[in-house]
Amino acid sequence: WLLQAFDIMRFSDGALADAVLILDRHSSSLPANAEVTNDASQRTLLAAVCLALKFGTREDSQLPLARVINHLSRDAIHFDEVCKTELGILRSLDFCMETPSLHQFVETLGARLSRYGRRCRYLAYFLLELSYVDATFCYRFAHSVLAAAIWALALSSTQAPAQAFRTLVEDAFVFSPTAVGNSLLECCMDLRQVWAWAQSVQDPAFATVVQRVRLKFATANREQVAFLAPPANAMAMDPMLLLLSRAIASMPAGSGA
């Protein structure tokens, strides 16, 4: 629903990532046996959207929030109820709204990597949104590590030169020393599996979401990256992993990589 709503309303991908992160952080704060009604779930979803738009860019806040909520809920949920739910979410997060999203990590790492072409950049954002589909995978690694793995696969799949991988490792290390090393190589392998799984997912719990992501990135303005195929198998990853390993090994002594 979030993917479709943000696409139709033309809100930014950054705001989408913020809404996803707010929902995940709030959900993780609830007791494991907490019962959530459908109405409460809808209010929480809309409140997360509101918070993401409030703390997002000016471009995402052009419309009055009350109108946005009325439109998204089809006038079924009153704006005042959403505002009260917002306060509950903020309390559950200890009013901390500065946690960087996976999108922010990917965007920051892409500052120097975007030179390798639009197709590479859109493939990175395609893999980013596929990562949202499986929450277990999305939080298996630190988001700094996952962001680096996303760029590594995007660079490899668009035949970027070896220098691109050195740039990635350099910037990932500045971001977080833990983002380079064996965890990055492991994350790359797991991300390939997620990408391959998404090519033919049958489980109805995931198929609709994956299809929505694929439709979004199948358009010409996003370089039709949804049609790109993942590496065929683990062995096909070897050239990329070798480039990454060499880039990691070239880091200055004592860097911790």
Side-chain angles (χ1 to χ4, degrees):
W1 181 87
L2 279 174
L3 288 167
Q4 185 175 8
F6 274 63
D7 204 23
I8 292 172
M9 297 296 292
R10 297 187 178 180
F11 294 140
S12 70
D13 291 344
L16 169 64
D18 289 341
V20 170
L21 183 61
I22 289 167
L23 282 170
D24 286 343
R25 292 179 62 209
H26 172 65
S27 297
S28 69
S29 72
L30 300 176
N33 59 348
E35 293 186 9
V36 181
T37 65
N38 187 54
D39 286 346
S41 179
Q42 290 179 351
R43 288 194 299 271
T44 300
L45 188 60
L46 292 169
V49 171
C50 269
L51 288 169
L53 297 177
K54 285 179 180 179
F55 287 90
T57 64
R58 182 175 297 178
E59 288 74 16
D60 287 323
S61 56
Q62 298 296 312
L63 295 173
L65 282 174
R67 187 189 303 176
V68 171
I69 294 304
N70 289 338
H71 178 72
L72 292 178
S73 70
R74 299 180 181 179
D75 295 317
I77 299 178
H78 199 277
F79 184 59
D80 287 348
E81 296 178 32
V82 176
C83 290
K84 291 177 183 176
T85 306
E86 272 187 319
L87 182 58
I89 291 177
L90 287 170
R91 284 172 175 159
S92 75
L93 303 181
D94 292 328
F95 292 87
C96 177
M97 296 295 293
E98 297 179 354
T99 302
S101 67
L102 176 57
H103 183 276
Q104 288 173 302
F105 280 106
V106 171
E107 195 169 53
T108 303
L109 274 181
R112 289 203 294 163
L113 297 174
S114 292
R115 73 181 74 171
Y116 296 106
R118 283 169 49 87
R119 203 167 209 212
C120 178
R121 179 162 58 90
Y122 280 118
L123 180 55
Y125 285 108
F126 173 60
L127 295 174
L128 159 66
E129 294 201 8
L130 280 183
S131 299
Y132 295 151
V133 178
D134 185 346
T136 302
F137 167 73
C138 192
Y139 291 97
R140 186 179 304 159
F141 300 91
H143 278 176
S144 55
V145 175
L146 179 52
I150 284 170
W151 273 109
L153 257 72
L155 291 167
S156 176
S157 298
T158 53
Q159 289 78 52
Q163 176 58 44
F165 293 90
R166 288 193 290 271
T167 300
L168 169 62
V169 168
E170 289 170 3
D171 291 354
F173 178 76
V174 171
F175 228 6
S176 170
T178 61
V180 294
N182 290 334
S183 60
L184 172 56
L185 304 181
E186 181 184 350
C187 187
C188 286
M189 297 294 288
D190 287 358
L191 180 58
R192 186 209 70 84
Q193 290 183 324
V194 170
W195 188 4
W197 163 80
Q199 296 290 99
S200 57
V201 60
Q202 299 296 322
D203 188 335
F206 298 103
T208 302
V209 185
V210 170
Q211 181 63 15
R212 189 70 210 178
V213 175
R214 292 182 61 82
L215 286 172
K216 176 177 178 177
F217 287 90
T219 58
N221 66 323
R222 290 186 172 94
E223 300 293 320
Q224 298 181 316
V225 294
F227 297 114
L228 291 176
N233 49 48
M235 289 182 63
M237 296 278 286
D238 286 349
M240 183 200 73
L241 297 177
L242 180 60
L243 286 171
L244 279 176
S245 297
R246 287 174 175 172
I248 292 169
S250 70
M251 295 289 289
S255 65

